[in-house]
Amino acid sequence: MEKETLLLPARDLTADAGSIALAGRILREGGIVAIPTETVYGLAGNALDPGATAKIYAAKGRPSDNPLIVHIQAMEEWAPLVRELPKEAEALAAAFWPGPLTIILPKSALVPDTTSGGLDTVAVRMPADPIARGVIRAAGVPLAAPSANRSGSPSPTTWRHCADDLMGRVDAILQSRDCGVGVESTVLSLCQRGEDGRPVPRLLRPGAVTPDQLREALGTDIVVDRGVLEHLGEGERALSPGMKYRHYAPAAEVTLVKGTTEQYRGYLEKTARPGDWAMCFTEDLPVPGMPACPYGGAADHREQARRLFQLLRELDGRGAERIFVHAPRQDNVGLAVYNRLLRAAAFRVVEPQP
Ligand code: TXA
Ligand code: MG
């Protein structure tokens, strides 16, 4: 599917207005464009045009039963996409939009089945990145945008990652800043109803908006879906289809190592062989037996999230055969980091004994 891919500078809404207008025109005419967001880069196409979403699936090599998130830039663009807007949804949008939260509701007839992966529901998010918002505005239509990586590889957090994966497969790539959040948005479903008739909020994918923040904004508890931390067995139905695929994986074999700095170091010392790399906390340095790349302080989950995918790609580039990652604590944004690492590691986790 070799095609010409335009590289369009887009760091500033005013200075790069020409790029943004051109991206808008390409999108309106049914093309696909890699765009920055605050979480990861997205591969955008007109969410209401099955022809455009078919191009997204093809360029990514993504299974077509894996639904796409629809991106909007103004509140009034939401209602036409869904059957109704419960007050819980409005409260969440008021608290976290624009920002890294995706909300799933029953879809309206306007949303094609190709966008929702055949589901009766639609995931919607309003990104905070000003370039993303400018492109949605310029396109004049809601934009379906999965992460702009080839299916299965780590999500892109720089425009160069998009070019590495998608050059020759998409119409344009916006050359904007590196993503500040670094992991994909929090995905929350409001589709299930409780006995009182109100939606039961269910976390399908953790992200920078944390479970505690969601509970506080809703004034109720939320359910954390089993798929967030467990491997769903073959044939088990994933509520979020994206959770069932091997995901975020570099070419190297990734292992998550739990425990203290001493336990982590002790494990590396016993295990090390040539081709190994450690992806550790700053506090773990120096580690024995292998080269190491720190991905943040043990308590700095936001820094870990920001660097995670970039480091996995970098270590692949350096020819790492095995990567041993010191596992983060599973609270706050650490839950999102752990969730992505678990998938990169294909659920390979070791817990060294003290
Ligand atoms: O931060 C993000 O969300 C990025 C940026 C580009 O906005 N996008 C992103 O899209 O991560 P993607 O396609 O890589 O991940 C979307 C996730 C998948 O796990 C998908 O299965 C799930 O959301 N999803 C989308 N629509 C859904 C629906 N109607 N019901 C359940 N899960 C849904
Ligand atoms: Mg993705």
Side-chain angles (χ1 to χ4, degrees), residues 35 37 39-43 60 62 65-69 71 100 102 104-105 115-116 119-123 125 127 145-149 155 183-187 189 204-205 239-243 245 247-248:
I35 64 167
T37 83
T39 55
V40 301
Y41 273 73
L43 178 55
K60 276 181 64 83
R62 177 180 176 116
D65 66 343
N66 191 358
L68 307 173
I69 294 174
H71 296 67
T102 294
I104 302 179
L105 287 166
T115 299
S116 66
L119 297 177
D120 196 26
T121 56
V122 63
R125 145 166 143 80
S147 49
N149 52 298
S155 293
V183 295
E184 308 87 342
S185 60
T186 302
V187 176
S189 171
L204 300 184
R205 181 175 74 182
L239 278 181
S240 189
M243 295 297 231
Y245 303 107
H247 225 140
Y248 315 117

Side-chain angles (χ1 to χ4, degrees), residues 81-95:
L81 303 171
V82 296
R83 282 211 288 278
E84 61 167 325
L85 277 182
K87 66 175 196 292
E88 290 81 356
E90 309 223 25
L92 290 167

